[in-house]
């Protein structure tokens, strides 16, 4: 909401600068401890400019740009203001090119302003903030053009990402894979205190403790205000205790230098105690009301304290407001001291993760600072006009990089050019392509796709190849039950420290020989699917973050994809590259019951951008898909795929992406056939005819995954009555649908020759042929096939929670068995004849 019009404006910037300058005189020579006075002047000037640019960017988007749809634009001016000092200190003094940062989502305009000053953001992008083609609402690796390390937006996930990125950095560094001359960096998260309400943060904290993560900084913007309210008092004590328990160093940056000086004066100790005891809600309200309100409360509560009245009298109302809002997170010297102290401790060998609890004020320096409704607050035009005057920005020069600053532009530009963080320009790396050798097919008369996956990985573990060496697997405590045991036995578990396999040393017989060391290639996680997908995101960006190509594979139970769906979406949004192997799937996992039987995951696979989804029935299909996937993960502008069909950009075959394989524990009789290039291509594209239809055929059965035996049995019976009927194996409803949709759009735009694989597959059928579709999942996954040529569909699948049983009983109950398919075929043919 926009606060009501007020004669109040931002605190006089001149008065703030004067107070800071006076306080600095008591610091002595700053060059040995923090930064020299000249650099401090430059940092404060840039701090002032960043507050202006971020506020103006939001104001322009909401008040000066034409609104064509009437929607509120927003932009969080107050949330930006609380982080300006901290981000100025980080980007212009502390960070190095190897460091990586996840910026608090609501501070996106501050980030874009910093990038603009560093020369990595165009003014046109700022002017189009939150508009099409402009700077994004929240920092985005894929949508923004400036130097975003980690996308943020879904609160809490970017925070956790830094912890897992540190683990990945340890992984590649301890294996000696970092490119020559490249140093490990810090993984830094700028955290809104309300983000600590997100449960995934604590899951990540615990997992980080298990893996002994290093070189992580979480800087908490402790402004004690959330979207709807003021944060509970004394929360800082719980935060402090929690991080200490997890083995973190905790640095509290509570008071600025002006307040620290006041505390040393007569009456100052009482003032400090009063602030420490002051409820967050009262403190915020007084920040908003200003100096006179502070004076009234302080005199009433502390007027009898020796020396306090004199201390208070030495400040007029404006100076008192400046003093009482001089919290540590807004004091450049206090912030730099905290950062430099930890840097020194790290250089001395203490590289444990660090939590900075930085006290700030939401909306600091803006007219609605402290107001409990300021989360979505926007300065109205009158307030912005006063703010512009306070910043000495001439009209017409609002976007000028140095307008309104007292320091010469040349001096400021020279300082920016020498900023350590900017020494290498844009900081995204590339990694060489890894050749994908042929994969040895797992052979057996009967086999499940889950078993086949385990055998393929175990065979890869035996190989001496670059691809095998760059594979890294991970699983949330289901490594054995997802058939990764053979791989782990040969390649080991990664740990920063070598750890003895006690069962082996004690000669206790076990199928699992799990040695732990820096040489291991499996990362074992606790049962937390959010952690799995955020780790996959970090592993899948290693080529860009650290210049090291990794090929990550994560396994989990298929129904629990839903538990980590936000993190999966987050990983795909960043264009991280990984393979998700989800198994077992569907109610085919019969005795496990409804809680473990997935229904909607095939639809998730179809809907998730950046994720190519497959459900093979046979192991030779899986082998072809895995080989293609290892190449698909590596595709980009420099290594485009060679198998893309004209007009199929929607399949991402040129640019690549991640892969989801939905597998099963049901053993099936394996087909005896050669895997020709043509068959492999059809499997990857999404489908092929197991039993090709005769020209003009009036019936076809299409299936996905583990229900293949039922589909085949039904086809064998129905073909006696309906000669020429076809049996279609759909290996990827996702890919078939995406390509068909792309072809439809192309034709809508005038490209009449556009076609798709599914149209070519269904072309032999009669135009009014009946289609029966079947999978152990939601029937909507395949029901759309009737829309391709306007044919009627009888769609079989699962729409309700399952229950315990065996496969014959459950398939009969949920109509996945041969009889149900035959009934659907009959119904489809009857409907055809009636038409």
């Amino acid at each position: 909401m926009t606060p009501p019009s007020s004669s109040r404006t931002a605190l006089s910037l001149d008065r703030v600068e004067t107070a800071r300058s006076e306080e600095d005189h008591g610091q002595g020579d700053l060059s040995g401890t923090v930064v020299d006075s000249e650099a401090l002047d430059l940092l404060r000037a840039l701090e002032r400019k960043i507050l202006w640019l971020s506020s103006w960017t939001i104001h322009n988007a909401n008040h000066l740009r034409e609104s064509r749809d009437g929607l509120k634009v927003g932009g969080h001016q107050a949330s930006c203001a609380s982080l300006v000092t901290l981000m100025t200190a980080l980007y212009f003094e502390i960070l190095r090119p190897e460091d990586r940062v996840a910026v608090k989502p609501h501070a996106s305009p501050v980030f874009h302003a910093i990038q603009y000053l560093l020369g990595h953001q165009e003014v046109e992008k700022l002017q189009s903030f939150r508009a099409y083609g402009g700077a994004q609402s929240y920092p985005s690796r894929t949508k923004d053009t400036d130097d975003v390390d980690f996308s943020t937006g879904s609160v809490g996930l970017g925070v956790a990402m830094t912890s897992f990125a540190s683990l990945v950095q340890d992984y590649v560094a301890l294996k000696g894979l970092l490119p020559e001359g490249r140093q490990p960096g810090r993984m830094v998260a700028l955290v809104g205190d309300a983000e600590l309400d997100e449960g995934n943060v604590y899951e990540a904290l615990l997992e980080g403790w298990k893996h002994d993560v290093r070189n992580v900084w979480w800087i908490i913007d402790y402004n004690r205000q959330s979207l709807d309210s003021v944060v509970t008092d004394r929360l800082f004590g719980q935060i402090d205790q929690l991080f200490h328990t997890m083995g973190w160093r905790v640095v509290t940056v509570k008071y600025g230098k002006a307040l620290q000086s006041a505390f040393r004066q007569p009456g100052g100790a009482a003032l400090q105690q009063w602030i420490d005891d002051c409820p967050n809600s009262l403190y915020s309200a007084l920040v908003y009301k200003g100096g006179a309100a502070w004076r009234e409360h302080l005199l009433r509560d502390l007027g009898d304290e020796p020396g306090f009245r004199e201390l208070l009298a030495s400040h007029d109302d404006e100076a008192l407001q400046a003093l009482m809002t001089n919290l540590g997170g807004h004091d450049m010297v206090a912030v730099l001291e905290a950062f430099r102290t930890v840097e020194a401790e790290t250089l001395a060998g203490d590289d444990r993760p660090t939590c900075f609890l930085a006290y700030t004020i939401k909306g600091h320096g803006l007219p609605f600072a402290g107001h409990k409704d300021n989360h979505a607050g926007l300065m109205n035009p009158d307030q912005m006009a006063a703010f512009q005057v306070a910043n000495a920005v001439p009209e017409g020069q609002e976007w000028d990089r140095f307008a309104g600053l007292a320091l010469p532009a040349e001096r400021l530009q020279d300082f920016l050019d020498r900023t350590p963080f900017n020494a290498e320009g844009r900081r995204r790396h590339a990694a060489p392509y890894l050749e994908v050798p042929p994969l040895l097919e797992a052979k057996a008369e009967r086999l499940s796709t889950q078993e086949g996956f385990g055998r393929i990985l175990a065979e890869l573990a035996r190989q001496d190849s670059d691809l095998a060496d760059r594979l890294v697997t991970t699983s949330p405590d289901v490594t054995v039950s997802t058939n990764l045991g053979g791989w782990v036995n040969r390649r080991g578990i990664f740990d920063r420290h070598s750890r003895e396999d006690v069962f082996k040393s004690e000669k206790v017989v076990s199928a699992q020989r799990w040695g732990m060391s820096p040489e291991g290639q499996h990362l074992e996680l606790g049962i937390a699917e959010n952690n799995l997908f955020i780790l996959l995101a970090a592993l899948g960006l290693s080529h860009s973050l650290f210049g090291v190509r990794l090929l990550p594979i994560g396994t989990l139970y298929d129904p629990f994809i839903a538990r980590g769906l936000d993190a999966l979406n987050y990983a795909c949004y960043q264009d991280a590259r990984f393979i998700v192997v989800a198994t077992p799937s569907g109610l085919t996992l019969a005795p496990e019951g409804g809680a473990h039987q997935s229904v909607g995951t095939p639809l998730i696979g179809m809907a998730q951008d950046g994720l190519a989804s497959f459900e093979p029935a046979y192991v030779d299909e899986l082998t072809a898909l895995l080989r293609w996937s290892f190449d698909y993960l590596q595709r980009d502008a420099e290594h485009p795929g060679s198998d893309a069909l004209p007009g199929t950009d929607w399949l991402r075959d040129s640019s690549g992406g991640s892969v989801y394989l939905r597998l099963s524990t049901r053993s099936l009789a394996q087909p005896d056939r050669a895997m020709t290039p043509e068959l492999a291509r059809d499997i990857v594209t999404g489908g092929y005819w197991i039993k090709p239809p005769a020209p003009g055929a009036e019936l076809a059965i299409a299936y996905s995954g583990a229900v293949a035996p039922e589909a085949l049995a039904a086809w064998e019976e129905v073909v006696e009555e309906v000669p020429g009927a076809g049996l279609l194996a759909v290996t990827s409803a996702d890919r078939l649908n995406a390509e068909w949709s792309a072809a439809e759009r192309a034709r809508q735009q005038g490209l009449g020759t556009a076609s798709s694989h599914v149209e070519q597959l269904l072309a032999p059928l009669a135009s009014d042929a009946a289609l029966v579709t079947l999978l152990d999942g939601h029937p909507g996954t395949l029901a759309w096939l009737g829309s391709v040529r306007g044919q009627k569909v009888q769609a079989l699948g699962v729409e309700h929670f399952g229950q315990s049983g065996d496969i014959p009983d459950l398939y009969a109950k949920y109509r996945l068995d041969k009889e149900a398919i035959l009934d659907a075929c009959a119904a489809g043919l009857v409907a055809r004849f009636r038409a």
Side-chain angles (χ1 to χ4, degrees):
M1 62 175 285
T2 301
S5 180
S6 169
S7 59
R8 292 182 67 250
T9 183
L11 186 67
S12 169
L13 297 174
D14 291 336
R15 176 59 65 94
V16 172
E17 295 302 327
T18 300
R20 286 170 166 172
S21 178
E22 291 172 352
E23 197 55 43
D24 291 344
H25 289 311
Q27 297 294 311
D29 181 11
L30 295 173
S31 61
T33 56
V34 181
V35 63
D36 61 69
S37 58
E38 179 182 6
L40 198 58
D41 290 341
L42 291 160
L43 287 169
R44 284 174 172 164
L46 292 171
E47 172 190 16
R48 183 171 175 169
K49 175 53 64 174
I50 291 164
L51 178 61
W52 163 258
L53 280 173
S54 59
S55 300
W56 179 256
T57 296
I58 297 167
H59 181 80
N60 178 76
N62 286 274
H63 292 288
L64 303 180
R65 205 168 60 213
E66 178 187 2
S67 174
R68 298 182 297 173
D69 52 21
L71 293 178
K72 183 192 81 170
V73 177
H76 305 102
Q77 285 175 332
S79 292
C80 287
S82 63
L83 262 180
V84 165
T85 306
L86 290 159
M87 291 180 67
T88 302
L90 277 172
Y91 278 94
F92 297 120
E93 186 66 27
I94 300 297
L95 294 175
R96 299 296 181 264
E98 60 270 17
D99 298 329
R100 303 288 169 184
V101 187
V103 175
K104 184 181 82 168
H106 293 153
S108 173
V110 177
F111 171 79
H112 292 306
I114 289 171
Q115 293 289 311
Y116 174 54
L117 293 176
L118 290 173
H120 302 311
Q121 181 64 284
E122 302 167 9
V123 69
E124 291 79 12
K125 298 287 186 181
L126 297 182
Q127 293 168 342
S128 301
F129 173 64
R130 292 195 171 206
Y132 183 72
Q136 295 295 297
S137 307
Y138 310 117
S140 171
R141 282 184 60 87
T142 55
K143 306 299 182 185
D144 277 314
T145 56
D146 46 2
D147 202 15
V148 178
D149 292 319
F150 303 116
S151 298
T152 53
S154 187
V155 295
L157 297 183
V159 181
M161 180 72 168
T162 58
S163 181
F164 288 105
S166 176
L167 176 58
V168 173
Q169 182 177 243
D170 282 347
Y171 183 92
V172 297
L174 289 170
K175 286 176 168 27
L177 297 175
L178 284 177
E180 186 176 354
R182 190 159 295 154
Q183 297 297 316
R186 291 164 291 198
M187 303 296 115
V188 180
L190 293 157
V191 187
D193 51 9
E195 288 191 87
L196 297 179
D197 290 339
E198 291 288 346
N200 80 281
V201 171
Y202 302 101
E203 292 178 347
L205 267 177
L206 184 58
E207 200 63 59
W209 173 80
K210 292 177 189 175
H211 285 91
D212 192 27
V213 295
R214 310 278 95 186
N215 294 315
V216 179
W217 282 16
W218 286 5
I219 303 167
I220 299 175
D221 175 17
Y222 192 54
N223 60 41
R224 300 167 307 291
Q225 288 183 245
S226 62
L227 178 61
D228 291 329
S229 64
V230 177
V231 171
T232 304
D233 292 324
R234 308 299 171 197
L235 179 63
F236 68 89
Q238 299 302 315
I239 296 172
D240 185 292
Q241 180 179 342
L242 177 70
F243 279 90
H244 275 303
T245 300
M246 292 296 178
W248 287 52
R249 176 198 291 113
V250 179
V251 177
T252 300
V253 190
K254 185 170 185 178
Y255 293 120
K257 293 299 178 179
L259 272 174
Q260 291 178 36
S261 176
F263 296 157
R264 293 191 292 268
Q265 298 175 32
L271 175 62
Q272 181 172 2
Q273 189 63 54
W274 187 93
I275 297 175
D276 286 342
D277 293 339
C278 184
N280 289 338
S281 55
L282 175 59
Y283 186 87
S284 296
L286 293 176
V287 167
Y288 178 73
K289 293 179 72 175
W294 285 113
R295 191 176 306 278
E296 177 186 347
H297 274 265
L298 290 170
L299 278 173
R300 185 174 64 226
D301 296 343
L302 302 177
D304 294 335
E305 292 290 334
F308 183 74
R309 286 182 177 272
E310 291 77 9
L311 174 61
L312 203 58
S314 65
H315 297 77
D316 63 19
D317 283 351
E318 191 171 4
L320 183 59
Q321 173 77 343
L323 176 69
M324 297 302 290
T325 57
N326 178 233
L327 297 185
H330 299 304
D331 189 291
M332 188 65 69
V333 175
V335 167
L336 289 171
E337 278 185 354
F339 291 158
R340 291 298 191 203
T341 297
V342 173
E343 283 187 325
E345 293 174 1
T346 302
L347 287 173
D350 184 359
D351 61 350
R352 61 187 157 142
T354 302
C355 167
F356 295 92
L357 189 60
Y359 279 70
T360 61
I361 295 167
K362 196 165 186 174
H364 181 68
L366 303 182
F368 41 66
H371 196 288
K372 72 182 184 67
D373 299 334
N374 68 9
H375 180 82
L378 298 172
M379 282 186 274
N380 60 40
D382 289 342
Q383 290 169 327
M384 177 52 73
F387 187 64
Q388 184 165 359
V389 171
N391 279 273
V393 176
E395 188 173 346
Q397 297 182 34
E398 291 86 356
W399 300 105
D400 188 277
R401 295 167 77 234
F402 304 127
L405 301 182
L407 299 177
E410 297 79 10
R411 188 176 162 199
L412 288 160
Q413 186 60 57
D414 179 65
F415 182 77
L416 290 171
D417 291 341
R418 292 184 288 108
T419 297
F421 181 73
N422 206 32
E424 297 177 6
R426 287 180 61 85
R427 299 149 38 259
R428 294 202 183 179
H429 304 301
Y433 178 86
L434 301 172
E435 292 298 328
V436 182
L439 302 183
L440 183 65
E441 185 180 320
K443 291 286 189 181
E445 289 187 7
R446 296 188 65 85
L447 207 60
S448 71
T449 47
Q450 178 177 303
E451 289 174 301
F453 166 73
R455 293 189 186 188
I456 294 168
L457 265 288
E459 178 57 35
L460 274 170
R462 297 185 185 95
Q463 293 182 6
D464 180 16
S465 68
D466 290 340
L467 181 134
D469 290 344
R470 296 299 178 87
L471 281 178
V472 53
T473 59
T474 183
S475 185
D477 203 35
V478 291
T479 297
V480 175
S481 52
T482 55
N483 279 64
L484 276 176
W487 162 267
V488 177
N489 280 345
R490 287 190 173 272
R491 291 287 175 156
I493 294 178
F494 173 79
D495 197 286
R496 292 184 71 249
H497 313 283
S498 295
R499 302 181 190 274
E500 182 182 23
D501 183 345
V502 176
F503 277 72
K504 180 179 179 181
S505 63
E506 291 294 327
K507 298 182 172 55
V508 177
V509 177
S510 171
Q512 314 309 326
R513 301 181 298 277
W514 286 9
M516 298 183 181
S517 72
E519 287 74 43
Q521 287 181 244
H522 176 78
L523 289 161
E524 183 70 4
L525 299 175
I527 305 176
E529 283 73 16
N530 263 293
N531 283 344
L532 171 73
F533 288 120
I534 299 175
L535 174 57
L536 286 173
L539 289 164
L541 288 174
S542 179
H543 59 286
S544 178
L545 295 173
F546 310 120
V548 181
R549 176 82 64 188
L550 297 177
L551 299 175
I553 299 176
T555 66
L556 79 163
Y557 292 170
D558 192 64
F560 301 138
I561 282 178
R563 289 173 61 174
L565 191 54
D566 190 19
L568 171 61
N569 183 69
Y570 173 73
C572 291
Y573 180 66
Q574 303 202 74
D575 197 23
R577 304 302 178 86
F578 51 87
I579 299 173
V580 176
V581 177
T583 177
S585 61
L587 55 79
T588 303
L589 180 61
E592 286 285 327
H596 280 192
Q597 295 167 353
S598 56
V599 173
T601 50
L603 295 176
I604 291 173
M606 291 182 70
Q608 181 60 59
D609 189 19
L611 191 71
S613 173
F614 298 90
E615 185 165 1
Y618 301 115
V619 174
D620 62 350
E621 296 171 353
L622 173 63
T623 305
L625 291 172
L626 274 172
R627 188 172 192 277
W628 174 86
S629 297
F630 291 140
D631 175 73
Y632 187 69
L633 263 58
Q634 302 184 71
R635 297 181 185 182
D636 54 32
E638 307 231 344
H639 305 100
S642 60
D643 57 353
L645 300 172
T648 61
D649 291 344
W650 185 247
L651 290 177
R652 299 172 61 111
D653 279 353
S654 294
S655 58
S658 292
V659 175
Y660 163 31
L661 301 174
R662 189 176 191 247
L663 306 185
S664 175
T665 51
R666 188 186 188 192
S667 291
L668 304 184
Q670 298 296 301
D672 183 12
R673 62 187 177 187
M675 182 54 64
T676 64
E678 294 75 19
L679 177 57
R681 185 185 182 102
D682 285 349
I683 289 168
V684 165
T685 309
Y688 65 97
W689 288 107
I690 288 272
K691 303 294 183 180
E698 56 188 308
L699 174 68
I701 300 170
Y703 74 88
S704 283
V707 294
E710 284 67 32
L712 179 58
W715 177 85
E716 289 173 342
E717 191 163 322
V718 82
V719 76
E720 296 179 6
E721 301 292 333
V722 187
L727 180 62
L728 178 65
V730 177
T731 52
S732 177
D734 174 32
R735 301 257 297 167
L736 288 182
N737 181 267
E739 187 184 4
W740 173 61
S741 297
E744 287 276 76
R745 283 192 297 274
R747 289 192 289 267
Q748 292 163 9
Q749 296 171 24
L751 184 59
T753 59
S755 184
S756 64
H757 185 58
V758 69
E759 291 170 298
Q760 296 159 18
L761 284 172
L762 299 180
L765 301 175
S767 60
D768 62 345
L771 295 179
V772 174
T773 62
L774 174 73
L775 80 157
D776 185 358
H778 196 281
T781 308
L782 297 177
W784 62 272
L785 285 171
S787 299
V788 175
R789 301 182 70 228
Q791 293 155 326
K792 290 186 178 296
V793 171
Q794 303 289 321
L796 301 178
V798 183
E799 296 181 80
H800 305 289
F801 294 115
Q803 56 191 292
S804 297
D806 62 13
I807 288 177
D809 281 345
L810 294 183
Y811 276 21
K813 167 65 179 176
Y814 294 91
R815 296 190 54 76
L816 297 178
D817 61 356
K818 181 183 75 171
E819 285 68 28
I821 302 170
L822 292 173
D823 289 346
C825 289
L829 290 170
V830 168
R832 177 174 181 266
F833 291 138
R834 285 178 177 169

